[in-house]
Amino acid sequence: TPCVGQQHRCRPMTTTAPLHMSQEDMDLITMDASERMDKTLSNLADNLLTVRTGRANPSMLDRVEAEYYGAMTPINQMATISVPSSQQLQIAPFDKSSIATIEKAIIYSGLGFTPSSDGNVIRINIPQLTEERRKDLLKQCKSIGEEAKVAIRNIRRDGVDSIKKMEKAGDLGKDQALDGQDALQKMTDEHIKLVDETVGKKEKEVATL
């Protein structure tokens, strides 16, 4: 045959290796999507922590930053934040010279708090929520939840697009591509359900007097 002595050149190509590799690539796509969706859930939880309920909670100040030696620093890294009563937060800065800066950061945080200081600690009285304010906060919870759902659906779309490109390039079989898309859809449904559960729990907190 013309191939005698040249077996290494004319050995027929097998599809096993590239398809095996493409399966690994698809697994990476779904794994990446899963990690990004989990991160979205984590961000959702962080965002909901900043939504005020009628009770004092140190996490209310999680997103407040103050300037400290030229760098914006979360105040929960600059002080001990405690809850002496259900309607009060107490902030004890590690460095007493930063009290005024922390106080100013709280005032300009948009949280609607009015801090008071005795030179050693800062106290914040948490006002009871009015019915109107409660409704606003429930809307805020719903909006934060919708943003998380949009992010999760966008992650799914990115994954599906990547799988379709691999199928079009001949790197994936049709059944493989469909399996990958089904896996992404299932993952999306599970994460959307978790968003609803997380938001529902926070809404219950807000609605509880």
Side-chain angles (χ1 to χ4, degrees), residues 53-70:
T53 62
R55 300 176 69 82
N57 188 321
S59 61
M60 291 173 161
L61 301 174
D62 277 0
R63 295 199 158 195
V64 182
E65 294 185 339
E67 191 172 338
Y68 190 60
Y69 288 102

Side-chain angles (χ1 to χ4, degrees), residues 166-187:
M166 287 175 69
E167 185 189 2
K168 193 174 179 183
D171 296 330
L172 275 182
K174 189 175 179 64
D175 289 343
Q176 272 182 308
L178 287 173
D179 286 347
Q181 290 177 59
D182 286 346
L184 284 172
Q185 186 59 57
K186 187 180 175 187
M187 193 189 299

